mmCIF file of all heavy atoms in Angstrom:
data_model
loop_
_atom_site.group_PDB
_atom_site.id
_atom_site.type_symbol
_atom_site.label_atom_id
_atom_site.label_comp_id
_atom_site.label_asym_id
_atom_site.label_seq_id
_atom_site.Cartn_x
_atom_site.Cartn_y
_atom_site.Cartn_z
ATOM 1 N N GLU B 465 -5.597 -3.230 -12.628
ATOM 2 C CA GLU B 465 -6.565 -4.185 -12.007
ATOM 3 C C GLU B 465 -7.832 -4.321 -12.777
ATOM 4 O O GLU B 465 -8.297 -3.331 -13.426
ATOM 5 C CB GLU B 465 -6.760 -3.911 -10.509
ATOM 6 C CG GLU B 465 -5.550 -3.842 -9.648
ATOM 7 C CD GLU B 465 -5.064 -2.452 -9.561
ATOM 8 O OE1 GLU B 465 -5.267 -1.591 -10.385
ATOM 9 O OE2 GLU B 465 -4.380 -2.135 -8.476
ATOM 10 N N PRO B 473 -23.064 -11.855 -0.601
ATOM 11 C CA PRO B 473 -22.336 -12.566 0.490
ATOM 12 C C PRO B 473 -22.332 -14.034 0.212
ATOM 13 O O PRO B 473 -23.318 -14.762 -0.171
ATOM 14 C CB PRO B 473 -23.141 -12.288 1.689
ATOM 15 C CG PRO B 473 -23.826 -10.911 1.471
ATOM 16 C CD PRO B 473 -24.140 -10.985 -0.037
ATOM 17 N N SER B 480 -7.850 -9.533 -11.319
ATOM 18 C CA SER B 480 -6.639 -9.732 -12.040
ATOM 19 C C SER B 480 -5.936 -8.380 -12.017
ATOM 20 O O SER B 480 -6.437 -7.336 -11.893
ATOM 21 C CB SER B 480 -6.983 -10.054 -13.524
ATOM 22 O OG SER B 480 -7.672 -11.242 -13.739
ATOM 23 N N ALA B 483 0.382 -6.518 -15.622
ATOM 24 C CA ALA B 483 1.578 -5.740 -15.532
ATOM 25 C C ALA B 483 2.279 -5.400 -16.874
ATOM 26 O O ALA B 483 2.229 -6.356 -17.838
ATOM 27 C CB ALA B 483 2.685 -6.489 -14.649
ATOM 28 N N MET B 493 4.948 -9.480 -5.560
ATOM 29 C CA MET B 493 3.738 -8.670 -5.684
ATOM 30 C C MET B 493 2.925 -8.859 -4.399
ATOM 31 O O MET B 493 2.977 -9.864 -3.717
ATOM 32 C CB MET B 493 3.019 -9.162 -6.902
ATOM 33 C CG MET B 493 3.705 -8.940 -8.258
ATOM 34 S SD MET B 493 3.889 -7.247 -8.698
ATOM 35 C CE MET B 493 2.307 -6.618 -8.883
ATOM 36 N N PRO B 500 -14.216 1.430 2.244
ATOM 37 C CA PRO B 500 -14.725 2.693 2.126
ATOM 38 C C PRO B 500 -14.597 3.640 3.363
ATOM 39 O O PRO B 500 -14.858 3.221 4.511
ATOM 40 C CB PRO B 500 -16.245 2.534 1.839
ATOM 41 C CG PRO B 500 -16.338 1.190 1.331
ATOM 42 C CD PRO B 500 -15.305 0.389 2.011
ATOM 43 N N GLY B 501 -13.780 4.748 3.116
ATOM 44 C CA GLY B 501 -13.546 5.671 4.216
ATOM 45 C C GLY B 501 -12.497 5.152 5.225
ATOM 46 O O GLY B 501 -12.329 5.789 6.279
ATOM 47 N N ILE B 510 3.068 -12.669 -2.806
ATOM 48 C CA ILE B 510 3.434 -13.735 -3.600
ATOM 49 C C ILE B 510 4.884 -13.365 -4.041
ATOM 50 O O ILE B 510 5.130 -12.325 -4.491
ATOM 51 C CB ILE B 510 2.507 -14.141 -4.769
ATOM 52 C CG1 ILE B 510 3.030 -15.443 -5.403
ATOM 53 C CG2 ILE B 510 2.355 -13.033 -5.746
ATOM 54 C CD1 ILE B 510 1.898 -16.032 -6.375
ATOM 55 N N LYS B 524 -7.361 -15.519 5.137
ATOM 56 C CA LYS B 524 -6.775 -16.836 5.052
ATOM 57 C C LYS B 524 -7.855 -17.968 5.008
ATOM 58 O O LYS B 524 -8.780 -17.888 5.672
ATOM 59 C CB LYS B 524 -5.838 -17.122 6.314
ATOM 60 C CG LYS B 524 -4.798 -18.209 6.120
ATOM 61 C CD LYS B 524 -3.918 -18.191 7.335
ATOM 62 C CE LYS B 524 -3.080 -16.890 7.408
ATOM 63 N NZ LYS B 524 -2.119 -16.981 8.649
ATOM 64 N N GLY B 525 -7.647 -18.887 4.065
ATOM 65 C CA GLY B 525 -8.612 -19.935 3.819
ATOM 66 C C GLY B 525 -9.710 -19.549 2.933
ATOM 67 O O GLY B 525 -10.482 -20.430 2.543
ATOM 68 N N PHE B 527 -9.301 -16.632 0.455
ATOM 69 C CA PHE B 527 -8.528 -15.946 -0.728
ATOM 70 C C PHE B 527 -7.358 -16.724 -1.197
ATOM 71 O O PHE B 527 -6.660 -17.346 -0.290
ATOM 72 C CB PHE B 527 -8.142 -14.525 -0.464
ATOM 73 C CG PHE B 527 -9.257 -13.494 -0.219
ATOM 74 C CD1 PHE B 527 -10.570 -13.889 -0.044
ATOM 75 C CD2 PHE B 527 -8.933 -12.220 -0.196
ATOM 76 C CE1 PHE B 527 -11.623 -13.057 0.067
ATOM 77 C CE2 PHE B 527 -9.914 -11.246 -0.024
ATOM 78 C CZ PHE B 527 -11.264 -11.588 0.082
ATOM 79 N N ALA B 534 4.102 -15.907 -17.494
ATOM 80 C CA ALA B 534 4.070 -15.878 -18.981
ATOM 81 C C ALA B 534 3.082 -14.897 -19.463
ATOM 82 O O ALA B 534 3.277 -14.361 -20.655
ATOM 83 C CB ALA B 534 3.695 -17.300 -19.483
ATOM 84 N N LEU B 538 -1.128 -11.144 -12.322
ATOM 85 C CA LEU B 538 -1.339 -11.380 -10.837
ATOM 86 C C LEU B 538 -2.789 -11.655 -10.650
ATOM 87 O O LEU B 538 -3.594 -10.900 -11.307
ATOM 88 C CB LEU B 538 -0.801 -10.381 -10.004
ATOM 89 C CG LEU B 538 -1.056 -10.465 -8.503
ATOM 90 C CD1 LEU B 538 -0.104 -11.488 -7.988
ATOM 91 C CD2 LEU B 538 -0.774 -9.065 -7.917
ATOM 92 N N TYR B 539 -3.213 -12.587 -9.791
ATOM 93 C CA TYR B 539 -4.595 -12.856 -9.601
ATOM 94 C C TYR B 539 -4.819 -12.965 -8.020
ATOM 95 O O TYR B 539 -4.050 -13.192 -7.232
ATOM 96 C CB TYR B 539 -4.931 -14.177 -10.205
ATOM 97 C CG TYR B 539 -4.658 -14.265 -11.665
ATOM 98 C CD1 TYR B 539 -3.577 -15.094 -12.090
ATOM 99 C CD2 TYR B 539 -5.456 -13.623 -12.606
ATOM 100 C CE1 TYR B 539 -3.230 -15.059 -13.442
ATOM 101 C CE2 TYR B 539 -5.126 -13.726 -13.917
ATOM 102 C CZ TYR B 539 -3.975 -14.365 -14.415
ATOM 103 O OH TYR B 539 -3.728 -14.502 -15.745
ATOM 104 N N ALA B 547 -19.420 -9.167 3.816
ATOM 105 C CA ALA B 547 -19.675 -7.667 3.729
ATOM 106 C C ALA B 547 -18.401 -6.928 4.035
ATOM 107 O O ALA B 547 -18.026 -5.886 3.357
ATOM 108 C CB ALA B 547 -20.734 -7.236 4.596
ATOM 109 N N ASP B 549 -15.376 -7.644 3.252
ATOM 110 C CA ASP B 549 -14.454 -7.683 2.184
ATOM 111 C C ASP B 549 -14.622 -6.427 1.152
ATOM 112 O O ASP B 549 -13.906 -6.307 0.264
ATOM 113 C CB ASP B 549 -14.517 -8.998 1.494
ATOM 114 C CG ASP B 549 -14.160 -10.133 2.343
ATOM 115 O OD1 ASP B 549 -13.153 -10.041 3.101
ATOM 116 O OD2 ASP B 549 -14.801 -11.265 2.328
ATOM 117 N N THR B 550 -15.720 -5.808 1.309
ATOM 118 C CA THR B 550 -16.017 -4.622 0.444
ATOM 119 C C THR B 550 -14.892 -3.596 0.557
ATOM 120 O O THR B 550 -14.632 -3.108 1.691
ATOM 121 C CB THR B 550 -17.385 -3.946 0.915
ATOM 122 O OG1 THR B 550 -18.454 -4.912 0.588
ATOM 123 C CG2 THR B 550 -17.588 -2.639 0.029
ATOM 124 N N TRP B 569 1.931 1.055 -7.760
ATOM 125 C CA TRP B 569 0.540 0.661 -7.482
ATOM 126 C C TRP B 569 -0.351 0.736 -8.674
ATOM 127 O O TRP B 569 -0.202 1.585 -9.542
ATOM 128 C CB TRP B 569 -0.061 1.614 -6.387
ATOM 129 C CG TRP B 569 0.652 1.583 -5.051
ATOM 130 C CD1 TRP B 569 1.842 2.146 -4.752
ATOM 131 C CD2 TRP B 569 0.144 1.105 -3.855
ATOM 132 N NE1 TRP B 569 2.146 1.960 -3.407
ATOM 133 C CE2 TRP B 569 1.051 1.330 -2.798
ATOM 134 C CE3 TRP B 569 -1.095 0.473 -3.498
ATOM 135 C CZ2 TRP B 569 0.910 0.967 -1.486
ATOM 136 C CZ3 TRP B 569 -1.224 0.066 -2.098
ATOM 137 C CH2 TRP B 569 -0.234 0.408 -1.137
ATOM 138 N N GLN B 571 -4.340 1.097 -10.151
ATOM 139 C CA GLN B 571 -5.410 2.212 -9.933
ATOM 140 C C GLN B 571 -6.475 1.637 -9.047
ATOM 141 O O GLN B 571 -7.314 2.432 -8.463
ATOM 142 C CB GLN B 571 -5.991 2.690 -11.268
ATOM 143 C CG GLN B 571 -7.156 1.925 -11.875
ATOM 144 C CD GLN B 571 -6.743 0.542 -12.438
ATOM 145 O OE1 GLN B 571 -5.558 0.217 -12.552
ATOM 146 N NE2 GLN B 571 -7.727 -0.278 -12.792
ATOM 147 N N VAL B 575 -14.582 -3.853 -5.174
ATOM 148 C CA VAL B 575 -15.415 -4.998 -4.832
ATOM 149 C C VAL B 575 -16.468 -4.657 -3.820
ATOM 150 O O VAL B 575 -16.060 -4.112 -2.756
ATOM 151 C CB VAL B 575 -14.495 -6.165 -4.259
ATOM 152 C CG1 VAL B 575 -15.309 -7.357 -3.719
ATOM 153 C CG2 VAL B 575 -13.507 -6.605 -5.329
ATOM 154 N N THR B 576 -17.706 -4.909 -4.089
ATOM 155 C CA THR B 576 -18.811 -4.680 -3.188
ATOM 156 C C THR B 576 -19.502 -5.937 -3.004
ATOM 157 O O THR B 576 -19.994 -6.628 -3.861
ATOM 158 C CB THR B 576 -19.815 -3.626 -3.821
ATOM 159 O OG1 THR B 576 -19.038 -2.441 -4.174
ATOM 160 C CG2 THR B 576 -20.871 -3.292 -2.923
#
Side-chain angles (χ1 to χ4, degrees):
Chain B
E465 301 94 335
S480 298
M493 299 293 296
I510 187 167
K524 199 172 296 182
F527 289 12
L538 173 73
Y539 306 102
D549 295 319
T550 294
W569 296 71
Q571 87 289 351
V575 173
T576 303

